Amino acid sequence: PVDFSGTWNLTSSDNFEGYMLALGIDFATRKIAKILKPQKVIEQEGNSFSIQTTSTFRSYFVQFKIGEEFEEDNKGLDHRKCKSIVTWDNDKLVCVQTGDKKNRGWTHWIEGDQLYLELRCEDQVCTQVYKRA
Ligand code: RET
């Protein structure tokens, strides 16, 4: 079974700008956010996850259990509340974030020592790659 636990550092990010625009993130925040190199600290215990995304500017914390819907506040991002649910698709973690924005969600998977994150909102897809610290 896959274990996402660990500390991961961003190495590349494609179309984060488009994703942030789709979320309606303001200009000033986008300019700062796109030069950040966030770090993710993931704790996985059975079906329970916590994911801390940390940067010098702002951070975001989320925790969930597989298959259990939760209220997500997206505090520090776009602040829109979502009903979110994360499930397994084989070895991929797939989150659907139901709210005002269509087609919102993300997928996490691991290839070798790299963690991939695909962020989706409306017609925008951002792909980020993280390397194990
Ligand atoms: C930062 C900086 C401030 C602006 C934005 C950010 C985006 C954070 C995102 C976090 C996603 C977290 C996920 C957790 C689960 O794996 C970096 C906080 C917009 C998009 C998907």
Side-chain angles (χ1 to χ4, degrees), residues 16 19 33 36 40 51 53 57-58 62 77 106 108 119:
F16 191 45
Y19 173 77
L36 298 172
K40 283 196 190 280
I51 302 182
T53 305
F57 170 59
R58 220 177 265 168
V62 65
L77 310 185
W106 52 259
H108 260 311
L119 294 160

Side-chain angles (χ1 to χ4, degrees), residues 57-71:
F57 170 59
R58 220 177 265 168
S59 298
Y60 186 68
F61 180 72
V62 65
Q63 55 186 340
F64 54 85
K65 287 196 173 104
I66 298 297
E68 287 186 16
E69 190 179 77
F70 62 102
E71 286 260 356

Side-chain angles (χ1 to χ4, degrees), residues 22-78:
L23 283 180
I25 306 284
D26 67 84
F27 179 84
T29 304
R30 291 203 313 278
K31 294 305 124 191
I32 299 168
K34 77 176 187 191
I35 60 168
L36 298 172
K37 295 271 182 259
Q39 182 176 72
K40 283 196 190 280
V41 177
I42 303 180
E43 285 177 24
Q44 175 180 351
E45 281 173 51
N47 275 329
S48 297
F49 285 79
S50 72
I51 302 182
Q52 174 82 56
T53 305
T54 310
S55 81
T56 50
F57 170 59
R58 220 177 265 168
S59 298
Y60 186 68
F61 180 72
V62 65
Q63 55 186 340
F64 54 85
K65 287 196 173 104
I66 298 297
E68 287 186 16
E69 190 179 77
F70 62 102
E71 286 260 356
E72 195 172 4
D73 58 13
N74 293 291
K75 209 176 153 209
L77 310 185
D78 65 321

